[in-house]
Amino acid sequence: MIQPAKTDLVTVIIDGQEVAVPKGTNVIEAAKLVGIDVPHYCYHPKLTVAGNCRMCLIEMGMPSMQIKTQSPMVKECREGVMEFLLINHPLDCPICDQAGECRLQEQATAYGRGYSRFIEKKNVKPKRTRLGPLVTLDDERCVLCSRCIRFSKEIAKDDVLGFVDRGSYSTLTCFPGKELANNYSLNTVDICPVGALTSTDFRFKMRVWFLKQVESIDTESSVGANTLVWSREGVIYRITPRRNDGVNDTWMTDSGRMLYKQVQAADRLKQVTLNGDAIDFAAATSAAGELLKGGHVAIVGSGRSSVEEQFATQRLAAATKATTYLVSRTGAGDGILISADLNPNVRGALLTGLIDALPTAQLTELGAAIDAGQVKTVVSVGENLIAAGLTSEQLAKVRVIYLGTHSNVTSGVAKIVFPTLTVFEKAGSFVNQQFRLQKFARCVPSLVGASDDLVVLSRLTTAVGAESVGEDAVSVWPALAAAVPQLTTVTYANLSKQGLLLDGSAWAGLPFVEGESLNFKPAAAAAESASA
């Protein structure tokens, strides 16, 4: 890695430990560098400083910036602040949805007196208040840190939250006539340090200490926000953002959090079929192989497939001498974490050679080839061909082999259907709008009756007499790295959690490549790529 320049550093001494930090560094962040925790509630590294909670009090003196975080004075001040914060806080930790990840609970134990001198009755505040369609407020638990207010104003650009009344009667509320309804509202739940703001979808469903966390990627657009998928016994309960300062900071969209519901959707495909009848997987691949051997093949790949799946699709196309297509999905980007390119991996298709130019939204060229009799078999990798512009009459002229997760018009008319897996049931990687290669892990077991896309593509490739590139992400990588110059020295195992920036200059003229991520700067990206 390239080491940061040693200029403009300030030396501070924190609890006797000397550390050099860049000018302007927050004391809380400086203390972290030497493993010291300064307790806080209102401070957040991605928001402006408010100074509301007073919990981060320290003792500071000169010369040489002497900072003490454990002196008797500091400890007494923290105990006093903690006592004030708990004056009106309800003692309902056993039933609080924040239990297991509550900063108030943790810091009351670590920094509080353990008892209160106040005997007055607690002020009663509103409970179960609907702030918006996805967020529920328990105002009794609020410590008035204002994180949610600052996030809505500074990041989501939707200034709808504020405090009303004064002193111990202050409460959080929405402005008159408004509600917390933007597509980033659940980030306020993530950053709430107590149990005041809760997700209506996740509320009272599961204790967090029972849940397993797996790193994944938001697939709703080419931003590629980093996520954590929380599950128990094969069932996903929630998705939260994972910090990556080069992509999504610590945020994600509300819509991306709901994608897990596709795993157990009622329209999931669960059975391999031939002409609508259930059939054994091996028999289906054999039958599909015979169709593909007949030539006149077209393959419609997907910008939602992983890099590994796109490479396997490209190899199948080479083995069958098929023409390949990709369907674009575009919409209005929000300038934050949804880009105008609604496919998560178009750049992966360019990288692997599955396509050599931007995809189109309609398969007009393929439709013309079908009408001319040049295509007799179409392999669709998760694409609804009707939605992509083909007509029912055109599909009736060809044999369709469909690989997909959910039923649609195309799966309904396909000759052979292979049920495949959602992104939560498999592992792989995507290339986001910055040309950052990022991997995702398998979160839950696969649906019974469905197969990994790589397994299906591999078996189809061997069914036509060609060599398979592998049936899982790890086994595909040797062939992938050998075929793609930018990946020569890369293995799936050594991809970092922050991802790997690739050189996207070969496609510099493409739209949706630059300027769409929250903090992405081409110069910084170039430096990061050089240091990898």
Side-chain angles (χ1 to χ4, degrees):
M1 297 290 292
I2 294 177
Q3 297 299 318
K6 301 296 183 182
T7 58
D8 295 326
L9 295 181
V10 176
T11 300
V12 296
I13 299 173
I14 305 176
D15 291 344
Q17 301 184 61
E18 187 175 294
V19 59
V21 299
K23 287 183 179 179
T25 300
N26 187 291
V27 172
I28 293 175
E29 299 298 331
K32 285 181 183 178
L33 297 177
V34 290
I36 295 174
D37 176 52
V38 177
H40 59 275
Y41 295 112
C42 63
Y43 170 72
H44 189 282
K46 301 298 181 181
L47 301 174
T48 57
V49 174
N52 287 8
C53 70
R54 309 175 300 280
M55 192 65 193
C56 64
L57 294 172
I58 58 170
E59 189 175 350
M60 188 170 68
M62 300 296 287
S64 301
M65 289 290 288
Q66 297 275 351
I67 296 171
K68 297 179 181 179
T69 70
Q70 300 295 331
S71 69
M73 180 188 296
V74 170
K75 290 182 179 180
E76 186 176 359
C77 288
R78 286 175 181 165
E79 289 174 354
V81 170
M82 203 73 241
E83 192 172 15
F84 275 116
L85 288 174
L86 292 174
I87 288 175
N88 291 305
H89 199 87
L91 301 177
D92 62 353
C93 292
I95 63 168
C96 179
D97 227 27
Q98 191 76 358
E101 50 187 5
C102 176
R103 298 293 291 168
L104 185 66
Q105 192 177 58
E106 294 167 0
Q107 293 181 17
T109 302
Y111 305 108
R113 282 194 176 94
Y115 63 90
S116 174
R117 293 171 293 176
F118 289 85
I119 60 175
E120 291 81 8
K121 290 184 178 181
K122 294 178 181 290
N123 289 335
V124 177
K125 293 185 179 182
K127 298 183 72 70
R128 297 177 296 279
T129 300
R130 181 186 184 275
L131 285 187
L134 300 177
V135 180
T136 300
L137 167 67
D138 187 328
D139 226 324
E140 286 187 340
R141 298 172 183 159
C142 180
V143 294
L144 305 175
C145 72
S146 80
R147 281 184 172 187
C148 56
I149 296 173
R150 284 173 284 147
F151 171 83
S152 298
K153 181 177 181 179
E154 299 166 11
I155 306 299
K157 308 300 181 185
D158 185 29
D159 190 10
V160 296
L161 296 176
F163 293 132
V164 295
D165 298 330
R166 307 181 73 176
S168 60
Y169 295 94
S170 292
T171 57
L172 176 70
T173 187
C174 291
F175 294 167
K178 295 186 178 181
E179 63 176 3
L180 184 60
N182 64 68
N183 196 29
Y184 295 87
S185 67
L186 286 171
N187 288 281
T188 63
V189 175
D190 297 330
I191 62 177
C192 181
V194 294
L197 295 178
T198 57
S199 165
T200 306
D201 179 65
F202 181 66
R203 188 175 170 88
F204 300 131
K205 285 188 177 178
M206 183 61 63
R207 289 301 194 183
V208 295
W209 55 78
F210 291 134
L211 299 175
K212 177 183 69 174
Q213 302 174 48
V214 179
E215 295 175 349
S216 191
I217 301 293
D218 181 1
T219 58
E220 65 181 335
S221 82
S222 63
V223 168
N226 291 207
T227 65
L228 286 173
V229 178
W230 302 65
S231 66
R232 184 186 184 192
E233 297 177 351
V235 177
I236 298 174
Y237 286 88
R238 69 173 180 179
I239 300 175
T240 58
R242 173 166 51 95
R243 182 171 179 174
N244 187 335
D245 290 344
V247 181
N248 58 296
D249 286 346
T250 58
W251 322 120
M252 72 174 296
T253 61
D254 293 350
S255 50
R257 297 172 193 260
M258 301 302 159
L259 295 180
Y260 76 89
K261 296 188 177 183
Q262 65 185 239
V263 176
Q264 297 185 340
D267 59 346
R268 278 296 299 270
L269 294 171
K270 302 176 182 178
Q271 180 64 58
V272 181
T273 61
L274 173 64
N275 295 324
D277 298 321
I279 188 175
D280 177 75
F281 180 82
T285 55
S286 177
E290 292 303 313
L291 294 179
L292 295 172
K293 289 177 183 178
H296 303 285
V297 177
I299 297 180
V300 181
S302 177
R304 294 179 293 190
S305 294
S306 68
V307 170
E308 297 77 13
E309 291 163 358
Q310 290 172 344
F311 181 66
T313 303
Q314 188 271 335
R315 286 299 179 91
L316 176 62
T320 58
K321 297 182 174 57
T323 304
T324 58
Y325 301 88
L326 206 71
V327 178
S328 71
R329 290 179 181 80
T330 59
D334 65 3
I336 307 177
L337 291 177
I338 293 183
S339 69
D341 180 5
L342 301 180
N343 274 322
N345 201 31
V346 169
R347 288 145 197 80
L350 293 167
L351 189 72
T352 58
L354 179 62
I355 57 173
D356 56 15
L358 269 184
T360 58
Q362 298 290 301
L363 297 172
T364 306
E365 185 179 334
L366 174 58
I370 292 173
D371 290 334
Q374 298 169 352
V375 173
K376 297 181 180 179
T377 300
V378 177
V379 178
S380 174
V381 183
E383 292 292 350
N384 183 354
L385 302 179
I386 295 293
L390 297 187
T391 65
S392 299
E393 292 74 18
Q394 288 170 334
L395 288 187
K397 298 177 182 179
V398 295
R399 290 85 52 99
V400 177
I401 301 171
Y402 183 76
L403 289 65
T405 57
H406 296 76
S407 62
N408 54 42
V409 177
T410 301
S411 67
V413 301
K415 184 174 183 64
I416 302 175
V417 174
F418 291 98
T420 55
L421 307 181
T422 67
V423 69
F424 304 104
E425 300 164 293
K426 58 189 178 183
S429 59
F430 296 119
V431 181
N432 80 345
Q433 62 179 8
Q434 305 165 351
F435 281 91
R436 184 186 296 264
L437 180 66
Q438 304 184 107
K439 66 180 178 182
F440 59 92
R442 183 185 187 190
C443 304
V444 292
S446 58
L447 181 75
V448 174
S451 302
D452 194 307
D453 299 68
L454 285 174
V455 172
V456 179
L457 292 167
S458 172
R459 301 293 174 86
L460 292 179
T461 303
T462 56
V464 297
E467 184 178 355
S468 165
V469 294
E471 296 189 353
D472 60 71
V474 175
S475 62
V476 167
W477 264 83
L480 176 61
V484 180
Q486 292 200 53
L487 304 180
T488 301
T489 60
V490 182
T491 66
Y492 186 77
N494 70 16
L495 278 177
S496 75
K497 293 183 178 182
Q498 304 302 308
L500 174 65
L501 274 171
L502 305 174
D503 181 9
S505 60
W507 301 284
L510 296 180
F512 322 126
V513 172
E514 296 177 352
E516 289 185 306
S517 82
L518 194 60
N519 284 330
F520 178 58
K521 304 210 172 25
E528 182 181 337
S529 182
S531 66

